[in-house]
Amino acid sequence: MPKIPAVSRRLLLGGTLATGAVATGLGSATGATAATGAAPSVAAAGTPGRRPGQKSMINVPFEAYKTVRVGVIGLGNRGSGMTTGWSVIPGCVVTAVCDIRADRAARTAEGLVADGKPRPAEYGGSADAYAKMLRRDDIDLVYIATPWEFHYEQGKAALLAGKHVVVELPIATEVSQLWDLVDTSERTRRNLMLSENCSYGRNELAMLKMAHEGLFGDVTNGHGGYLHDLRELLFSDTYYTDAWRRRWHTRSTASFYAMHGLAPIAAAMDINRGDRMTTLKATATAPKGLADYRERFVPKSHPSWRETYINGDLVSCAIETANGRTIRAEHDVSSPRPYSRINSLAGSRGIFEDYAGTSATGGRIYVEPDHGGHSWRDFDTYLKEFDHWLWKELGDEAENGGHGGMDYILQWRTVQLMRAGLVPDIDVYDSASWCAPVPLSVMSLADKGRPVAVPDFTRGSWVNLRSGLDSRNTDMPPVS
């Protein structure tokens, strides 16, 4: 494959990828802050300043842990499966589990024992059971997999208890809550990370690597989202406890879950690492899908017949960046369609599209000078060349994990980062930025689709190019 004579991100970063050091400020007046990761002394308009003594968490590594001890809050479908996942990572042990339904905690604990793992402490039976669990001194990392409305409160409580935190999507649903989690992370010096497993997808990481090596030339636009027909599960009486996820469609117009596709595009564009999202404007189709499904398949005696759905079937967010790029992020779980996260990236020298090809990878590509004739090519050869080191190292093991291996990669990498004392791939600023379209889409739709400003959660430090998901190969510390 011919080499493209472009200055790649790898060359720009040089040796800093290995250490996580911040690169210089890309010619910006705020580049002087690069050495410390501190924000400029004067915050941008609309950006709240830091309290005295509060400092940035950019490039702040974990302290090295011999063993990572995990406490889990929320043991439904997602939480119970991920609990098993944490328990099999080298150097990781689940020490406590919690669910408002005490029987779930007992069942999860018994499952771990049956797998030959130590029995974790059990908490449950009340809404504040998680707070009691957080008082334990044998928890280093809290993993939260409760319904969305509880993520902010529980994530903040875990930070205040001195724990690092991994939170399922989204970390919060209001802009004020996102800012509060950023500020709490900075005050407590604990890392909070969005559990964005799709950022560790094989195609997504290969796409990121290709972008940073200059294969697409100057990246100009991307398209990602979460298009998943969840209608059957949304109306299930058992899958989502108390129908919590369906009920969100009765009380919000938000783009609930687009970060599954947005996050990999943002990473490839170096959002918060040389660029940032500046404005968002949203559109939504009429809310037809859930009501239509209910009419055809749900008995009239079902409690859902007392509900009115207001969330549009397809919510689209058009996002602009400081460097003139555009991102289209979409969310649709109410329509009949095959699954897709879209995952498309384009630039001055080519384009990659996922969920569109005929090869086993599902991707297709067209880049100059490799290709011509206006004909797509399979992604296979490029995946082999640009496969991320995590998949090269862990692919065989990851295949036994959930969601095609992404869950295992995320959990393995998180534990490795903590045990080796490294900087997180996904920090609190990424987490807040990727989740901001949830409340911002509501704001834009309420204002007839007009653009709204995207907060700069880094407080100016986004200008500094630095490492993230494009990490270099490092070993998991040996387990003694």
Side-chain angles (χ1 to χ4, degrees):
M1 186 180 301
K3 292 290 183 182
I4 294 178
V7 178
S8 73
R9 184 179 190 276
R10 175 173 291 176
L11 292 176
L12 285 172
L13 282 170
T16 63
L17 281 172
T19 62
V22 181
T24 55
L26 300 181
S28 167
T30 54
T33 66
T36 63
S41 57
V42 179
T47 301
R50 290 188 172 99
R51 295 180 184 179
Q54 186 176 321
K55 297 184 295 183
S56 172
M57 287 295 288
I58 287 177
N59 286 325
V60 174
F62 292 103
E63 59 271 41
Y65 293 85
K66 182 179 180 181
T67 301
V68 175
R69 302 166 298 178
V70 176
V72 178
I73 304 175
L75 299 167
N77 293 299
R78 182 64 174 161
S80 59
M82 289 291 279
T83 300
T84 300
W86 292 114
S87 74
V88 301
I89 305 298
C92 183
V93 60
V94 177
T95 54
V97 293
C98 176
D99 194 282
I100 193 170
R101 290 164 172 78
D103 61 310
R104 288 183 175 177
R107 186 164 59 248
T108 300
E110 290 163 4
L112 291 175
V113 171
D115 290 338
K117 308 298 181 183
R119 189 181 189 99
E122 302 166 31
Y123 293 83
S126 65
D128 64 348
Y130 75 92
K132 299 174 184 176
M133 187 191 83
L134 292 177
R135 299 183 191 129
R136 299 181 65 91
D137 60 7
D138 60 350
I139 297 174
D140 308 307
L141 176 70
V142 174
Y143 169 72
I144 297 171
T146 51
W148 301 334
E149 52 263 41
F150 304 118
H151 289 183
Y152 160 68
E153 175 186 333
Q154 293 168 347
K156 181 177 181 178
L159 290 172
L160 292 173
K163 323 297 185 186
H164 299 290
V165 193
V166 172
V167 189
E168 281 296 336
L169 291 60
I171 62 169
T173 60
E174 302 291 342
V175 172
S176 60
Q177 295 173 347
L178 294 171
W179 270 116
D180 196 25
L181 289 176
V182 168
D183 290 342
T184 304
S185 174
E186 292 184 346
R187 288 196 299 272
T188 61
R189 316 309 294 161
R190 301 288 93 179
N191 283 305
L192 181 145
M193 300 154 284
L194 181 69
S195 183
E196 185 38 83
N197 57 346
C198 296
S199 291
Y200 288 96
R202 195 163 205 159
N203 282 7
E204 283 86 347
L205 284 175
M207 178 187 73
L208 176 144
K209 192 174 178 185
M210 291 159 63
H212 287 177
E213 300 235 357
L215 198 73
F216 303 113
D218 291 324
V219 173
T220 59
N221 67 95
H223 184 190
Y226 186 69
L227 309 177
H228 190 184
D229 182 0
L230 292 179
R231 294 172 301 164
E232 182 178 359
L233 295 179
L234 288 172
F235 285 99
S236 167
D237 290 330
T238 57
Y239 194 81
Y240 293 113
T241 303
D242 297 329
W244 68 263
R245 189 161 182 170
R246 189 181 73 241
R247 288 178 179 172
W248 271 94
H249 289 258
T250 71
R251 61 179 185 241
S252 178
T253 59
S255 176
F256 295 131
Y257 220 64
M259 63 284 289
H260 260 340
L262 170 62
I265 299 301
M269 289 184 175
D270 286 320
I271 298 300
N272 293 337
R273 291 166 166 76
D275 198 359
R276 81 172 187 90
M277 298 185 290
T278 55
T279 62
L280 177 150
K281 54 185 177 182
T283 60
T285 65
K288 300 292 188 181
L290 295 185
D292 177 74
Y293 184 90
R294 181 180 61 187
E295 179 68 34
R296 290 184 291 148
F297 301 111
V298 179
K300 292 293 195 293
S301 59
H302 195 266
S304 65
W305 279 94
R306 296 191 293 270
E307 300 170 346
T308 300
Y309 305 112
I310 64 172
N311 185 250
D313 292 343
L314 176 65
V315 181
S316 300
C317 296
I319 302 168
E320 296 183 350
T321 79
N323 292 344
R325 300 181 175 113
T326 61
I327 305 171
R328 189 163 84 253
E330 298 187 343
H331 177 270
D332 184 350
V333 298
S334 306
S335 304
R337 61 179 306 147
Y339 179 90
S340 173
R341 295 193 300 275
I342 307 169
N343 196 35
S344 178
L345 194 71
S348 58
R349 295 184 180 177
I351 182 171
F352 166 71
E353 287 190 352
D354 212 345
Y355 299 93
T358 58
S359 71
T361 66
R364 62 184 184 179
I365 190 169
Y366 185 90
V367 292
E368 296 174 342
D370 294 7
H371 305 144
H374 307 283
S375 299
W376 291 101
R377 305 301 200 280
D378 284 341
F379 185 52
D380 308 57
T381 301
Y382 291 85
L383 180 59
K384 291 176 182 176
E385 179 174 354
F386 292 96
D387 205 12
H388 195 278
W389 72 266
L390 282 166
W391 280 96
K392 289 180 179 179
E393 293 285 327
L394 303 171
D396 291 341
E397 300 170 52
E399 288 179 356
N400 296 320
H403 292 94
M406 296 186 300
D407 292 346
Y408 184 88
I409 298 288
L410 179 148
Q411 292 178 299
W412 188 97
R413 177 63 172 165
T414 301
V415 172
Q416 184 219 18
L417 290 166
M418 294 183 67
R419 297 189 64 226
L422 300 175
V423 174
D425 296 341
I426 299 170
D427 61 26
V428 69
Y429 309 103
D430 301 319
S431 304
S433 297
W434 297 347
C435 294
V438 178
L440 295 181
S441 59
V442 176
M443 295 165 59
S444 177
L445 289 170
D447 198 21
K448 300 180 180 179
R450 292 185 176 90
V452 295
V454 179
D456 173 17
F457 295 103
T458 73
R459 293 180 168 99
S461 293
W462 63 268
V463 299
N464 300 316
L465 198 61
R466 57 192 174 91
S467 181
L469 287 154
D470 53 350
S471 57
R472 285 187 175 174
N473 194 330
T474 50
D475 294 329
M476 175 74 83
V479 177
S480 58

